[in-house]
Amino acid sequence: MDIKMGPVMGKAPAVVGTIEIQPGQRVAAGQLLAQVETGKGNRPIKAPADGIIDTILCAEGEQVISGQTLFILTESSGSQENDENTVLKTDLFIIGGGPGGYVAALYASKSGMSVVLAEKELLGGTCLNCGCIPTKALIQSAQLFRQIRLAGAFGISVTDASLIPEQVFRRKEDICSDLRDGVASLLESANVTVLNGTASFTGKTHCLVRMGEKTRTVEFKNAIIASGSQPSLPPFARALHNSSLVMDSRQALDAGTFPGSVTIIGAGVIGMEFAFLYRSAGAAVYVIEFQPRILGNTDDDIASVILDEARKQSISVYTGAKVTDIRRTVSGQAVVTFEQNGASYTAVTDVVLTATGRRPYTEGLNLEAAGISVTEQGAVWTSDFMETSVPGIYAIGDVTGKSALAHAASHQGIAVVDTVIGKGHAVDHASVPSVIFTSPEAACAGLTEHDCRNRGIPYIASRFAFAASGKAKIMGETVGFVKLLCHKETRQILGGTVVGPDASALIGTITLAVKNKLTDAQLTQTVFAHPTTSEAVFEAAMGLSCGALHQST
Ligand code: FAD
């Protein structure tokens, strides 16, 4: 089989860089044979199939043209997949195909590296298969259902709207599988070798990937651990977990139906998103939270608006409450016993959803073989450049315990590739935005007032209410506000919060301002289109100096 040079774009000649194999060497499909430098960057030349390299028809430093045969390979059928001695050599080996791992793989490939990625379950990871995407797909259906029921306020009479769980869940699954296929085809066209198996370290430069009965050894110059996280289950929920009575978020997303009533344990982001989702789908919802307030790590103002809205929508929320027991009734319902202010209560519902946090997932990685350090919380320790205690091995995403957000994982992956190719920059976690997909949505980026006070940073805060926004009135969503904070002296935007319509989109502008240290004047000198919810960002920025124009002070 001839292995030829692909099309060469641009005017610069293609020049063979390093050749990674010898004549007579056995190679595996996807194995890097050579790097060719083209005007558009480095291009890895990989073995299209398992086999033996008969002849090498090019030399390092030689100019080659498109269509020129570079190697001759004699194919040999896949028996070597069982051969643990077949070493797949690569510039970058990535463990985990979630938004951390697969984005790093795409960017590394575009940057000229050969990349091998191991994924033991489904490409897309938690985010695409049992996190961000499926939750938001279900939320979209449930919110539309709720809006239809509120259609009277818009002059629309709807008599017979019903939510068909089977179809809602099928739509969710279709979205996930479309996106999953998209990730697979992006990786394929980027020449990333995907191994469907479980990776574990055998040393500082080698991993073994188990694919059922087969194994493959990967030798890497650099590696990224992007193995994600898993739900952390409280002890009182363990006995009934997996019984269809007590679910974690993954099981809830696979349930195929919405419960008539549910007790949610934990009022963090995942718990509150499910609370609004189930309520919009018509369920009776109880939320029990151990901490004194919901949405623990967010701005106080977000928490209080979301709590008010939850109560308005008849979601029962108990804070400062400790669950002590979960039992099954004779009729198959769940009885959750909890204590609040010294008194004991019970909630009886069809199911229980535990949303009590997630923990880094490192099972089976055999980190010890490479000497990789973990923190007390079981996360893989990393520097600000996401490098682990072993040079050349990096970790990104949930497994690092730094930020449990998909876009943070992707950003860290890009930063690692930049470091490997010598354009290194520390990851700026402070300006990573976060969004809560409740009704209304909430989002924040940068510092909160609480952060500023704690750090003694002199700041000014300004708040513009959506009640004064023309677009919010048109949308019928006037609850909430945009809040901006700027440094009292430098006038740089330090942080911002949005609760209300389009919060998930508006936070983009605020993130840009925080990350680039824009001043309030730079925001007010920017024109925001009318009528849009983005005008609320402009008004909040005006509030930092002379005062919002469309809101009396
Ligand atoms: P993951 O996405 O968890 O991917 C890790 C992958 O590694 C998995 O596919 C796993 O199978 C694989 N793996 C693990 N070990 C091995 C091994 N040894 N060998 C091979 N493969 C291995 N974030 C947001 O930003 N926005 C949201 O709206 C949002 N909603 C969420 C809703 C829910 C219900 C949940 C649970 C999470 C949500 N998140 C959200 C968080 C987000 O899903 C995670 O932060 C993100 O998926 C982390 O990406 P990751 O690449 O670090 O890990």
Side-chain angles (χ1 to χ4, degrees), residues 221-520:
K221 291 182 186 155
N222 294 280
I224 299 179
I225 305 167
S227 53
S229 60
Q230 64 178 5
S232 114
L233 210 60
F236 52 77
R238 285 184 195 143
L240 288 169
H241 184 235
N242 287 331
S243 66
S244 81
L245 199 66
V246 178
M247 318 175 285
D248 59 31
S249 58
R250 184 177 195 145
Q251 291 157 328
L253 292 168
D254 286 340
T257 188
F258 297 111
S261 58
V262 57
T263 303
I264 298 175
I265 303 175
V269 174
I270 293 176
M272 290 312 293
E273 286 188 355
F274 270 100
F276 280 89
L277 160 65
Y278 284 145
R279 186 67 200 121
S280 297
V285 180
Y286 301 85
V287 181
I288 303 173
E289 168 58 53
F290 181 69
Q291 298 294 333
R293 52 161 270 199
I294 65 165
L295 299 171
N297 295 329
T298 53
D299 189 305
D300 295 345
D301 290 354
I302 290 186
S304 79
V305 175
I306 298 300
L307 181 62
D308 282 354
E309 266 313 294
R311 290 190 167 142
K312 262 191 236 161
Q313 294 180 31
S314 303
I315 297 171
S316 306
V317 182
Y318 302 85
T319 52
K322 185 180 172 198
V323 173
T324 51
D325 189 34
I326 307 175
R327 279 168 204 268
R328 183 201 293 270
T329 64
V330 180
S331 61
Q333 284 200 300
V335 183
V336 178
T337 308
F338 61 98
E339 289 166 3
Q340 190 189 38
N341 301 326
S344 185
Y345 301 89
T346 52
V348 182
T349 50
D350 293 346
V351 289
V352 174
L353 171 70
T354 55
T356 44
R358 294 178 65 85
R359 57 189 168 84
Y361 183 77
T362 55
E363 262 165 48
L365 283 173
N366 198 20
L367 297 172
E368 311 76 43
I372 298 164
S373 305
V374 292
T375 67
E376 275 177 22
Q377 292 72 36
V380 175
W381 179 89
T382 59
S383 68
D384 290 345
F385 290 81
M386 311 312 295
E387 194 163 29
T388 67
S389 52
V390 178
I393 301 181
Y394 299 82
I396 58 173
D398 285 12
V399 75
T400 66
K402 293 204 173 185
S403 171
L405 292 165
H407 45 275
S410 303
H411 176 73
Q412 291 164 351
I414 289 170
V416 165
V417 173
D418 277 341
T419 298
V420 172
I421 61 177
K423 296 196 291 180
H425 51 90
V427 175
D428 172 16
H429 288 103
S431 56
V432 174
S434 60
V435 179
I436 308 166
F437 292 85
T438 41
S439 314
E441 291 180 349
C444 55
L447 300 181
T448 62
E449 289 196 70
H450 184 257
D451 295 330
C452 290
R453 280 194 296 268
N454 271 357
R455 297 182 201 179
I457 299 172
Y459 73 97
I460 309 171
S462 153
R463 212 171 129 129
F464 182 80
F466 278 114
S469 152
K471 182 62 193 252
K473 271 198 194 309
I474 293 166
M475 296 167 80
E477 293 182 45
T478 50
V479 169
F481 58 86
V482 173
K483 179 164 80 174
L484 289 178
L485 311 180
C486 84
H487 194 285
K488 213 167 187 172
E489 284 124 35
T490 65
R491 309 296 301 183
Q492 284 165 351
I493 302 294
L494 299 169
T497 301
V498 187
V499 192
D502 295 338
S504 54
L506 295 179
I507 203 64
T509 308
I510 297 174
T511 307
L512 196 71
V514 171
K515 172 71 190 158
N516 294 290
K517 300 185 167 47
L518 301 187
T519 61
D520 60 327

Side-chain angles (χ1 to χ4, degrees), residues 96 99-100 119-120 125-127 132 136 197 199 226-228 397-398 404-407:
E119 169 53 59
K120 70 183 177 63
T126 302
C127 168
C132 329
K136 273 77 232 181
S227 53
D398 285 12
L405 292 165
H407 45 275

Side-chain angles (χ1 to χ4, degrees), residues 19 21-27 31 33 51-56 71-74 76 80:
I19 295 178
I21 37 92
Q22 308 287 332
Q25 185 175 330
R26 178 178 279 282
V27 292
Q31 183 170 340
L33 305 182
I52 292 170
I53 294 293
D54 279 341
T55 320
I56 298 180
F71 303 96
I72 297 177
L73 172 87
T74 300
S76 63
Q80 63 173 308

